[in-house]
Amino acid sequence: MNDLSRYPYLAQIDSPEDLRRFPVDELPAIADELRRYLIEAVASSGGHFGAGLGVVELTVALHHVFETPHDRLVWDVGHQCYPHKILTGRRDRITTIKKKDGLAPFPRREESEYDTFGVGHSSTSISAALGMALALQRRGDPRKVVAVIGDGAMTAGMAFEALNHGGDVEPNLLVILNDNGMSISENVGAMTKMMASAMSSRTLNAWRERAKKAMPRESFFGRFFKRWEEHAKGMFVPSTLFEELGFHYTGPIDGHNMAQLVNALETVKALPGPQLIHVMTTKGKGYEPAEKAQIEYHAVGPFDPVAGLVKKGAPAKPTYTDIFSDWLCDMAAADERLLGITPAMREGSGLVRFSREYPQRYFDVAIAEQHAVTLAAGMAVEGAKPVVAIYSTFLQRAYDQAIHDVALQNLDVTFAIDRAGVVGPDGATHSGSFDLSFMRCLPNMVIMAPADENECRTMLSTGFHYNGPAAVRYPRGTGPGTKLAETLETYPIGKAEVRRRGHHGLAILSFGTMLAPAAVIAAEVDATLVNMRFVKPLDEELILELARSHKAFVTIEDNAIAGGAGAAVAECLAAHGVTLPIQHLGLPDVYLEHGSREEVLTMAGLDLPQIRHAIRARFPQFVDAPVASAG
């Protein structure tokens, strides 16, 4: 916990109501303390960093001008919410963020009345704030609603759907466009180029202010200047788009100038109808290493604030993301039809190397998951072989496109699904708990779950060479350290692997990375162990053969039990009229809290002791017999 004696202003602020007692001229000093407090807190515990540093002044100004929580404040994504949490009663717990039983990494309604809307995925803020504003308007409630959205999040179609609607119904809604030129990586696309014109407009604004002082507004030159100003604004500032959508545009203004921020917020607070303030900020502001290396300082582990982040040597084992990264480049060298697609997750999904070695075959579509999937479908129509690298939790946003545009047309698209299963510190919004459930019901789709690193590489090749839609889902972090094949081998579609044969009538069917604990249990109780590999199509021939020779099944997966891989096994048995006791182990029917990956697996009942206990409790007649040697 930070020493509050070094933060005399923050020590007096337990809520925004306390903040509002200070005069405006003291707000810069409060912002300075808040920034230093944030640096010290994140350096000690880790967490999202650069985005929060960039909105310190904005956060102070918003809570000072608006009567939060009576007035509604909606943050987008939530990477930038740490200063907000510090000012809203969570100052002394900020170092617990992302930890088990600690603060959530994103705004969460259950955590605080100041967190008006739970977020984690990008580009939801305007829609949510618009819904609040319309509901309040219907009952004659005059409170204000403010949405804060970054320019990176503005690349998503959902943001423009909300703007299109908001400008038509004229709610009392304020949108703050926090423009820093960054998502996690640099922003890309035509929208980014348009926003960049506002940077040059800072010079224009400075020249304009000097001209205003030099000539009276009522003079001929003053009137001429006013008309010229209106035309120039449309040339240099992206105001026209928002004005045409029905939002009154203010800006761009310096997001680190407290006086300008407060003045702009006070002005629009009194205005009716939809308003948009365009604020220019710097990600990582106030901490030089973060300003210079904005990607590296987006999210950090604990570090020395004096020394900054220290580059570590290569890990002892490659992560699954590393496996994908190398495979993508190897396969691209072997097949020129391969194209790589990411929705703004170049670093997270492992496409940095590919983007450098094959820049003409690399497509970062910005935060636009739906577009990414249908773009891949269009590429496949013309004979390309696109690979969509996407987090499990983000693929949820493109589910209709996966169904309607890819699977329905049986198009040759490979989905490399990262962060599948339990993710950990980022919490429920980022947990890849459902992809097996929502993907396996799609006709034409092949779905694979590797148990180790080499299986991941081989399955990616298998999916790529399959003439139709295929998905490989793999977890965050490292695997058991299996040696990788240098070749691009493939598996027969739908074939499982029997790892050991037991003698007591119990078969454990493991999907994906749960094979490691399953192997320990199988050896302890002399059970048959199957590495299923394929979730769809299932190896039905093997399942039915095992059903004839065994008395009970256990299925284990790091996906939701509801509709998951185990359910597919049960459906197979039922379809063939086979009645067999079957136990499903997987993620329970709840949203799992944040913590380390190991802690979340424990919460889910999927650590080794709990798996052992669950199987022994359900099938004591099979597991208490003397263990025979493995055959």
Side-chain angles (χ1 to χ4, degrees):
M1 185 182 299
N2 292 2
D3 180 6
L4 285 177
S5 67
R6 296 186 290 109
Y7 302 94
Y9 281 110
L10 286 185
Q12 303 176 63
I13 300 173
D14 293 316
S15 72
E17 185 177 358
D18 297 328
L19 173 66
R20 289 190 281 271
R21 294 191 182 103
F22 289 93
V24 173
D25 60 5
E26 292 188 52
L27 296 185
I30 293 173
D32 179 63
E33 279 195 7
L34 178 57
R35 179 171 278 111
R36 288 189 290 111
Y37 190 90
L38 177 64
I39 292 170
E40 184 177 347
V42 178
S44 69
S45 62
H48 293 111
F49 191 48
L53 289 174
V55 297
V56 165
E57 288 82 6
L58 178 60
T59 305
V60 171
L62 284 167
H63 281 297
H64 190 269
V65 172
F66 291 94
E67 299 291 326
T68 54
H70 179 76
D71 291 330
R72 303 304 196 192
L73 178 57
V74 182
W75 296 95
D76 203 276
V77 184
H79 294 147
Q80 72 278 45
C81 74
Y82 290 24
H84 161 79
K85 293 200 176 200
I86 292 169
L87 292 176
T88 54
R90 291 165 279 182
R91 177 195 61 216
D92 298 337
R93 297 186 64 215
I94 196 65
T95 55
T96 70
I97 209 158
K98 287 194 169 191
K99 298 176 181 177
K100 185 176 182 294
D101 300 324
L103 295 179
F106 306 109
R108 184 179 182 188
R109 284 168 50 81
E110 297 87 347
E111 186 175 286
S112 171
E113 62 180 334
Y114 293 93
D115 293 359
T116 60
F117 195 77
V119 295
H121 286 182
S122 162
S123 315
T124 62
S125 59
I126 305 178
S127 294
L130 176 58
M132 293 177 189
L134 292 176
L136 292 169
Q137 194 169 299
R138 281 184 58 83
R139 66 173 189 248
D141 192 325
R143 74 182 74 191
K144 304 296 182 181
V145 183
V146 182
V148 183
I149 185 169
D151 55 317
M154 285 292 290
T155 61
M158 185 175 178
F160 283 91
E161 293 170 15
L163 288 172
N164 178 62
H165 184 206
D168 184 52
V169 295
E170 297 189 354
N172 289 321
L173 169 68
L174 170 60
V175 175
I176 306 288
L177 173 55
N178 173 33
D179 187 351
N180 63 17
M182 295 290 293
S183 296
I184 296 176
S185 307
E186 301 93 344
N187 287 333
V188 297
M191 176 61 64
T192 296
K193 294 176 182 176
M194 185 192 77
M195 293 296 180
S197 68
M199 296 298 290
S200 62
S201 72
R202 286 181 172 177
T203 302
L204 170 67
N205 287 344
W207 184 88
R208 181 182 62 187
E209 291 304 316
R210 289 195 295 269
K212 285 180 181 179
K213 296 175 182 177
M215 62 184 75
R217 297 296 281 177
E218 299 306 317
S219 68
F220 169 78
F221 289 107
R223 292 192 298 271
F224 172 80
F225 176 80
K226 186 176 187 301
R227 293 186 65 185
W228 175 87
E229 178 188 15
E230 292 172 353
H231 289 290
K233 188 178 181 182
M235 293 172 57
F236 289 95
V237 185
S239 59
T240 305
L241 171 65
F242 301 114
E243 295 277 2
E244 291 297 325
L245 285 171
F247 280 73
H248 179 267
Y249 176 92
T250 300
I253 63 174
D254 184 350
H256 303 297
N257 185 312
M258 189 68 73
Q260 286 188 20
L261 282 171
V262 172
N263 182 63
L265 292 172
E266 292 282 10
T267 299
V268 300
K269 182 180 179 181
L271 297 176
Q275 308 287 324
L276 187 142
I277 298 180
H278 188 175
V279 175
M280 311 297 295
T281 63
T282 300
K283 191 172 183 179
K285 178 70 174 179
Y287 185 65
E288 186 176 357
E291 291 188 38
K292 290 182 177 179
Q294 295 179 341
I295 296 174
E296 290 80 356
Y297 281 87
H298 170 75
V300 296
F303 67 96
D304 181 345
V306 176
L309 295 177
V310 177
K311 290 188 177 181
K312 300 177 181 179
K317 296 185 292 185
T319 65
Y320 281 97
T321 304
D322 295 333
I323 301 301
F324 166 73
S325 176
D326 292 340
W327 170 84
L328 189 66
C329 292
D330 292 346
M331 187 58 77
D335 193 329
E336 63 180 12
R337 296 174 298 168
L338 184 150
L339 303 176
I341 302 170
T342 177
M345 294 302 295
R346 179 183 63 188
E347 284 77 20
S349 292
L351 278 83
V352 173
R353 179 187 163 198
F354 180 80
S355 69
R356 294 169 179 166
E357 294 185 12
Y358 298 95
Q360 301 305 313
R361 297 159 66 180
Y362 165 73
F363 299 89
D364 183 344
V365 303
I367 301 175
E369 295 89 354
Q370 294 169 305
H371 168 59
V373 173
T374 302
L375 175 73
M379 290 173 170
V381 165
E382 297 300 337
K385 291 183 72 67
V387 176
V388 179
I390 191 167
Y391 285 12
S392 173
T393 185
F394 299 151
L395 181 57
Q396 295 166 187
R397 311 189 84 184
Y399 189 45
D400 177 66
Q401 287 70 27
I403 297 173
H404 182 274
D405 299 334
V406 176
L408 177 63
Q409 302 184 85
N410 199 26
L411 291 174
D412 193 1
V413 176
T414 302
F415 294 92
I417 306 175
D418 203 334
R419 268 63 166 184
V422 168
V423 173
D426 282 340
T429 58
H430 284 61
S431 183
S433 304
F434 312 111
D435 53 81
L436 295 185
S437 301
F438 70 67
M439 293 291 277
R440 78 171 186 87
C441 60
L442 304 185
N444 300 325
M445 185 71 68
V446 168
I447 307 169
M448 292 163 275
D452 58 45
E453 299 92 333
N454 191 58
E455 284 201 348
C456 185
R457 179 176 171 89
T458 305
M459 287 178 180
L460 287 164
S461 297
T462 303
F464 183 79
H465 287 298
Y466 174 72
N467 186 27
V472 181
R473 59 101 71 172
Y474 45 90
R476 181 178 187 173
T478 58
T482 305
K483 183 179 179 180
L484 298 174
E486 295 183 3
T487 56
L488 296 168
E489 300 172 355
T490 62
Y491 289 129
I493 297 293
K495 291 299 179 182
E497 173 198 32
V498 177
R499 285 288 180 102
R500 78 181 308 277
R501 291 279 181 175
H503 300 82
H504 297 156
L506 181 67
I508 301 176
L509 281 57
S510 177
F511 293 87
T513 56
M514 298 310 298
L515 183 67
V520 174
I521 303 299
E524 290 177 351
V525 303
D526 194 18
T528 294
L529 176 65
V530 181
N531 175 22
M532 291 299 297
R533 286 181 174 164
F534 288 82
V535 178
K536 186 174 185 175
L538 283 173
D539 192 339
E540 293 195 359
E541 182 180 354
L542 177 62
I543 290 172
L544 295 175
E545 182 268 312
L546 292 173
R548 290 190 293 269
S549 57
H550 290 71
K551 299 176 182 178
F553 278 2
V554 174
T555 67
I556 182 168
E557 62 192 293
D558 60 343
N559 184 84
I561 293 174
V569 173
E571 291 164 8
C572 171
L573 295 175
H576 289 85
V578 177
T579 301
L580 193 74
I582 184 167
Q583 179 183 34
H584 298 307
L585 300 179
L587 302 182
D589 193 27
V590 297
Y591 289 105
L592 295 166
E593 299 294 331
H594 51 276
S596 69
R597 189 171 190 275
E598 292 71 24
E599 288 171 335
V600 177
L601 284 171
T602 297
M603 294 180 210
L606 290 181
D607 60 357
L608 181 60
Q610 290 186 89
I611 294 171
R612 177 187 291 117
H613 175 77
I615 294 175
R616 287 184 175 276
R618 177 68 185 276
F619 298 118
Q621 69 273 33
F622 300 129
V623 302
D624 290 339
V627 177
S629 59

